[in-house]
Amino acid sequence: MPYHKDKQEAFQAAEKGTMEAKEWYDHLVRDQADYGSQLKHLKQEVNEAFEQINNAMEVASETQRIRLEQFRQDLQGIVNEVNGLQ
């Protein structure tokens, strides 16, 4: 994912990445044969979202920073849940 210098673009990329990771988490099914593949993709989505959040933090307004921290907490919650499932 390209690095965004523009505040709004960076924020939107972080928001989109977080939402995509949440969607993957919501559709994760432990009992399916491809669970490992789903989990691998979820981890990739989460890592990309964290990276987008970190990039956005560099140029974010104060209001955006508050939302970005919430995105970070949401993602950490997913990581904690997944780690608890294994």
Side-chain angles (χ1 to χ4, degrees):
M1 189 49 97
Y3 177 74
H4 298 283
K5 284 282 186 194
D6 176 82
K7 275 194 267 195
Q8 192 60 33
E9 285 181 19
F11 179 82
Q12 288 173 344
E15 182 176 46
K16 182 176 184 242
T18 301
M19 295 305 123
E20 288 175 359
K22 285 181 176 183
E23 283 182 36
W24 270 96
Y25 176 71
D26 288 343
H27 293 100
L28 189 66
V29 180
R30 283 187 77 189
D31 298 335
Q32 284 194 351
D34 67 342
Y35 174 74
S37 176
Q38 290 178 26
L39 189 59
K40 182 179 177 182
H41 193 91
L42 172 62
K43 288 179 181 181
Q44 180 180 342
E45 291 289 334
V46 168
N47 287 336
E48 287 176 13
F50 273 128
E51 187 175 319
Q52 290 164 337
I53 290 168
N54 291 337
N55 288 343
M57 282 291 214
E58 293 182 18
V59 294
S61 68
E62 196 56 39
T63 304
Q64 289 173 330
R65 285 181 184 279
I66 293 166
R67 292 280 292 138
L68 290 167
E69 280 299 330
Q70 184 60 53
F71 294 161
R72 187 177 277 153
Q73 290 174 13
D74 292 348
L75 291 174
Q76 189 60 52
I78 290 172
V79 169
N80 293 345
E81 286 287 322
V82 168
N83 287 341
L85 292 175
Q86 295 178 342

